Amino acid sequence: MEARGLDQFIAWQKSVAMAGDIIRFSQRSGLSRHPWFCDQIRRAALSVPSNIAEGYERRGEKDTPRFYLIAMGSCAEAKTQLRVAVHAQLIVASEAAPLCNSCDEVMRLLSGVIRARRMASGNQPKPQPWP
């Protein structure tokens, strides 16, 4: 059976894998002793593929990029929570590194998709002066 639609969207595929990895990690690592932390990082991770899917299915000029941006924000949130867990000595850096790399990869893919959509629509953002 040939995969179609969302199943072929690499950013979504990678985000599903990233979210699954983070959820499994939170169950088997030192984070499992901190349910409040697990809940927070799981929600952030699960939000990424969920928002990509919602944006993909809406196919709107304004809605789709907005959901992709929300997914990027959730991805950055999950990565930050991993870094906080390392800093708080709940996990070690070597455990968090591959998960952070997955977050980076998903954010890069989404950034590229958003940029390509803007270029295709001729809707380039105006450069903003540095504050």
Side-chain angles (χ1 to χ4, degrees):
M1 179 178 213
E2 184 179 325
R4 297 183 187 266
L6 188 59
D7 290 334
Q8 291 181 324
F9 192 16
I10 304 234
W12 179 78
Q13 293 171 0
K14 297 283 186 175
S15 71
V16 167
M18 179 215 59
D21 291 346
I22 288 175
I23 290 167
R24 278 190 307 279
F25 176 74
S26 70
Q27 293 171 327
R28 63 175 165 71
S29 70
L31 292 180
S32 65
R33 293 187 303 271
H34 307 282
W36 51 272
F37 200 97
C38 287
D39 182 57
Q40 187 70 25
I41 198 167
R42 288 174 187 164
R43 286 174 187 265
L46 186 57
S47 176
V48 180
S50 299
N51 277 291
I52 293 171
E54 190 163 356
Y56 181 88
E57 292 302 329
R58 286 185 182 245
R59 295 187 176 106
E61 196 169 306
K62 291 185 180 183
D63 275 349
T64 297
R66 184 172 68 85
F67 279 100
Y68 293 169
L69 287 169
I70 292 168
M72 284 182 65
S74 294
C75 203
E77 182 181 350
K79 182 179 174 183
T80 297
Q81 291 162 359
L82 289 164
R83 294 234 171 121
V84 169
V86 169
H87 188 75
Q89 298 178 344
L90 303 178
I91 59 175
V92 295
S94 62
E95 294 175 312
L99 298 170
C100 288
N101 291 340
S102 292
C103 291
D104 288 338
E105 181 180 20
V106 170
M107 287 189 286
R108 271 192 309 275
L109 288 167
L110 283 173
S111 182
V113 168
I114 292 166
R115 193 170 35 258
R117 286 181 60 87
R118 285 181 180 152
M119 289 177 71
S121 70
N123 202 3
Q124 288 294 317
K126 294 181 181 163
Q128 299 295 317
W130 188 256

